[in-house]
Amino acid sequence: MHLTLAAAEALVFEVLTRNRVSEANARSVARALVAAEAAGQGGHGLRRVEAYSSQARAGKVDGFATPSLLRPFPAVVQIDANHGYAYPAIDLALSVVPDIAREQGIAAAAFRRSHHAGVLALTVERFAEMGLVALMVANAPASMAAWGGRKPVFGTNPIAFAAPVPDADPVVIDMALSRVARGKIMAARQKGVPIPDSWAFDRNGQPTTDAVEALAGTMIPSGEAKGAALAMMVEIMAGALTGANFSFEASSLFDDQGAAPALGHMLVVINPDAAGGAVAAARMGRLAEEITSDPDARLPGRRGQNARRMAIENGIEVEDELVSLIRAL
Amino acid sequence: MHLTLAAAEALVFEVLTRNRVSEANARSVARALVAAEAAGQGGHGLRRVEAYSSQARAGKVDGFATPSLLRPFPAVVQIDANHGYAYPAIDLALSVVPDIAREQGIAAAAFRRSHHAGVLALTVERFAEMGLVALMVANAPASMAAWGGRKPVFGTNPIAFAAPVPDADPVVIDMALSRVARGKIMAARQKGVPIPDSWAFDRNGQPTTDAVEALAGTMIPSGEAKGAALAMMVEIMAGALTGANFSFEASSLFDDQGAAPALGHMLVVINPDAAGGAVAAARMGRLAEEITSDPDARLPGRRGQNARRMAIENGIEVEDELVSLIRAL
């Protein structure tokens, strides 16, 4: 089915408000899920509406929560999502952190008691569109082990980064730290097909081609030991420093059972003028030019930005079944 | 040959001061190179003395430079290494940034006109020993392409991170973003042996097993496209934001030809109390405990810390040839 972005947002808004979510929160969530869909990130898009709704009904996420903000130090804010969705908390950061970063040179926002952070690329990009450089990390329910280990301790713990480029879209980087998304293994299990042995370890820490064994084991980090170390860095920033749950303490984002996930995110925003003087913008242009002068090299973020432009113009295609499922909610 | 750490430092100090380096700078450099050696990072240790000395003699690095510091914004300092070695600039950051981070909650130091940043693990660890969380990135002469590209644009651009753990050594992460160190390919070339095809691309962007072709090509990033994207993030933070040279503009760290490398580093230091309240330390302990409860899992940084303890007790082993070479300088 073909939907304009406005129609898709209206659909999500309506479903959420009928499932114990406030209008303000439903608007924020609808915008974020549809933006993910428009950027080609369906895994963080409309497919999430079902779990988001059932969690609100069950009280696993508080659809009426309002995020609160403290500024205990001049350059740091603590944002408590109060067991609500992440997006209203992220919107609050977007309204407060840019001025602090401009004034202090660098600023951090530490999020706690939060939920699925969605497509981090879309958040950091919004800071870059304001002329700022942003780094964001988030933890997520555990699916990766520490290097050499067997127990899931870390989530796929994404890292995202964006920086403005003069007269061009920002550079936007966003990566989960597992080699592949867990959804790919879930899809293989559903189809009953084997997976490459580079995707996951079984319960004994051995590479496996069996999707069932893989889901009972742990995801292989991108770059092996290095990816596992980065996942630990993210866990410390998003979990230990924020007062959020660790990945291994968080409940699932896909069902309505158990306590709130209470996940954490950390956002660091830099005023590019602070670090290198007014030349930073010109230097970003120079770097982008050097990279794109290599015919086959890619600037990160372009695919999502182009997908979004197409979606704004032409709307998005959503599977009929998914639209029916959402409408039934 | 067996040397105590003090004897090794005295040797490096003497060589440098006889090669146009001030006593203060020679002391700082000697301490850093010997600390690298003690941590088992010989590639950033005494083997660097020859190039460091010849560069000082040639004026490619200014052995008499004193780093200078500006604080244009409350939470950001700019440190100009003034074409000297990196270590005196890093020492300056260590004397100033902790107080700013404690007071502001987060602080950044942007280094420009700097040189080989050495073992970043050792720098971030010093902040963690003061109870702070530190993230540091550095660029380096170009050896990796943007993903899909053929031209070297990024250095192996390391990322390092450290955080304190109560009643234990800090967690310390430090990784170059290439799959392997370039030194391994140089060693294979010297021995005339082939390399695995996962280490480097040739000039046409194709994986190669020929060390000569590899050195004329580019290093394969750890985690492929994800590693290349992280290298770009580092390049932006350490290069674009600081006013330093980009990796592709920097001269070699291994010879005495050309202009100063004028590399950049970016350091971000977080007061753990700022983001999550006084619980952060306890939470770090909980995370470390969870990881080490998995029998084969490793906490990053332990190998270097154990090597250092051994070296403090027993001194270090240095190849006779290397000691002779250094003495001859």
Side-chain angles (χ1 to χ4, degrees):
Chain A
M1 176 170 295
H2 191 83
L3 289 175
T4 66
L5 299 188
E9 283 186 24
L11 175 63
V12 176
F13 174 84
E14 191 178 340
V15 168
L16 290 173
T17 50
R18 289 178 181 215
N19 283 278
R20 302 179 39 99
V21 178
S22 73
E23 293 198 355
N25 288 341
R27 205 168 290 121
S28 172
V29 172
R31 207 159 33 208
L33 294 185
V34 173
E37 201 72 40
Q41 298 285 340
H44 298 282
L46 300 184
R47 262 182 262 163
R48 296 276 180 161
V49 174
E50 187 183 10
Y52 276 33
S53 299
S54 69
Q55 289 175 16
R57 280 197 311 276
K60 186 172 178 176
V61 64
D62 179 356
F64 295 95
T66 304
S68 52
L69 182 145
L70 276 176
R71 189 177 171 186
F73 288 78
V76 175
V77 296
Q78 295 175 356
I79 297 180
D80 190 336
N82 288 315
H83 296 313
Y85 297 109
Y87 310 110
I90 289 169
D91 290 340
L92 179 58
L94 274 152
S95 73
V96 171
V97 176
D99 282 345
I100 300 178
R102 284 191 196 101
E103 175 191 303
Q104 303 291 323
I106 186 169
F111 299 78
R112 74 174 84 178
R113 299 207 294 177
S114 190
H115 192 256
H116 173 233
V119 180
L120 300 193
L122 295 170
T123 296
V124 292
E125 188 176 35
R126 286 164 81 182
F127 286 93
E129 284 165 353
M130 297 183 220
L132 298 162
V133 171
L135 171 70
M136 187 172 179
V137 296
N139 66 1
S143 59
M144 295 207 303
W147 191 245
R150 292 161 199 193
K151 279 200 300 193
V153 179
F154 309 130
T156 53
N157 288 11
I159 297 180
F161 178 84
V165 179
D167 306 319
D169 286 330
V171 163
V172 184
I173 290 162
D174 185 6
M175 66 189 73
L177 294 175
S178 52
R179 187 165 295 159
V180 299
R182 202 150 188 273
K184 284 198 177 184
I185 300 179
M186 294 196 260
R189 183 185 53 181
Q190 264 185 336
K191 291 184 198 146
V193 297
I195 56 170
D197 69 357
S198 59
W199 288 9
F201 296 123
D202 64 19
R203 266 167 286 205
N204 298 315
Q206 300 303 315
T208 180
T209 59
D210 180 329
V212 176
E213 284 298 312
L215 290 169
T218 59
M219 305 290 296
I220 296 183
S222 168
E224 293 82 35
K226 293 183 182 186
L230 287 171
M232 182 162 188
M233 176 181 91
V234 171
E235 196 65 44
I236 292 170
M237 291 182 75
L241 296 187
T242 58
N245 269 347
F246 286 123
S247 294
F248 61 85
E249 297 167 328
S251 60
S252 170
L253 293 171
F254 291 106
D255 65 37
D256 58 5
Q257 305 300 306
L263 291 164
H265 335 300
M266 176 73 83
L267 172 71
V268 175
V269 181
I270 302 175
N271 174 352
D273 297 341
V279 297
R283 297 288 289 159
M284 276 303 305
R286 175 75 190 87
L287 178 60
E289 180 189 276
E290 180 73 13
I291 290 170
T292 52
S293 73
D294 193 344
D296 298 320
R298 293 194 306 224
L299 274 184
R302 293 292 175 258
R303 194 165 45 186
Q305 288 153 344
N306 292 336
R308 179 173 53 204
R309 263 189 283 272
M310 295 285 288
I312 289 170
E313 185 107 348
N314 304 321
I316 49 178
E317 289 299 325
V318 187
E319 289 166 28
D320 291 348
E321 281 168 47
L322 181 56
V323 175
S324 308
L325 177 71
I326 293 172
R327 284 202 176 130
L329 299 166
Chain B
M1 174 172 294
H2 191 84
L3 289 174
T4 65
L5 299 187
E9 283 186 24
L11 175 64
V12 177
F13 175 84
E14 191 178 342
V15 169
L16 290 172
T17 50
R18 290 178 181 214
N19 283 277
R20 301 177 42 96
V21 178
S22 74
E23 291 197 356
N25 288 342
R27 205 167 291 120
S28 171
V29 172
R31 206 159 33 208
L33 294 185
V34 173
E37 200 73 42
Q41 297 285 339
H44 298 282
L46 300 184
R47 262 181 261 164
R48 297 277 179 160
V49 174
E50 186 181 12
Y52 275 34
S53 299
S54 70
Q55 289 175 15
R57 282 197 310 277
K60 186 172 179 176
V61 64
D62 180 357
F64 295 95
T66 304
S68 52
L69 183 144
L70 276 176
R71 189 177 171 186
F73 287 78
V76 175
V77 296
Q78 296 175 354
I79 297 180
D80 190 336
N82 288 314
H83 297 313
Y85 296 109
Y87 311 111
I90 290 169
D91 290 340
L92 179 58
L94 275 153
S95 72
V96 171
V97 176
D99 282 345
I100 299 178
R102 284 190 197 102
E103 174 192 302
Q104 303 292 321
I106 186 170
F111 299 78
R112 72 175 85 180
R113 300 207 293 177
S114 190
H115 192 257
H116 173 232
V119 180
L120 300 192
L122 296 171
T123 297
V124 291
E125 188 177 35
R126 286 163 79 182
F127 286 94
E129 285 164 352
M130 297 184 221
L132 298 162
V133 171
L135 171 70
M136 187 173 180
V137 296
N139 65 2
S143 59
M144 295 207 302
W147 191 245
R150 292 160 199 193
K151 281 200 297 192
V153 179
F154 309 130
T156 53
N157 288 10
I159 297 179
F161 178 85
V165 179
D167 306 318
D169 286 329
V171 163
V172 183
I173 290 163
D174 185 6
M175 66 189 75
L177 294 174
S178 53
R179 187 165 297 161
V180 299
R182 202 150 188 271
K184 284 198 177 184
I185 301 180
M186 295 197 261
R189 183 185 53 182
Q190 265 185 335
K191 292 185 198 147
V193 298
I195 57 171
D197 69 357
S198 59
W199 288 9
F201 296 124
D202 64 18
R203 267 168 285 207
N204 298 315
Q206 300 303 316
T208 180
T209 57
D210 179 330
V212 176
E213 283 299 311
L215 290 169
T218 59
M219 305 290 295
I220 296 183
S222 168
E224 293 84 35
K226 293 183 182 186
L230 288 171
M232 182 162 188
M233 176 182 91
V234 171
E235 196 65 43
I236 292 171
M237 291 181 75
L241 296 187
T242 58
N245 268 347
F246 286 124
S247 294
F248 61 85
E249 297 168 329
S251 60
S252 170
L253 293 171
F254 291 104
D255 65 37
D256 58 5
Q257 306 300 305
L263 290 164
H265 335 301
M266 176 73 83
L267 173 71
V268 175
V269 181
I270 302 175
N271 174 351
D273 297 340
V279 297
R283 296 290 288 159
M284 276 302 306
R286 175 75 189 89
L287 179 59
E289 178 189 276
E290 180 72 13
I291 290 170
T292 53
S293 74
D294 194 344
D296 298 321
R298 293 194 306 224
L299 274 185
R302 293 292 174 258
R303 195 165 44 188
Q305 287 153 346
N306 292 337
R308 179 173 54 203
R309 264 188 282 273
M310 295 284 288
I312 289 170
E313 185 108 347
N314 305 321
I316 48 178
E317 290 298 325
V318 187
E319 290 167 27
D320 292 347
E321 281 167 46
L322 181 56
V323 175
S324 309
L325 177 71
I326 292 172
R327 286 205 174 126
L329 298 167

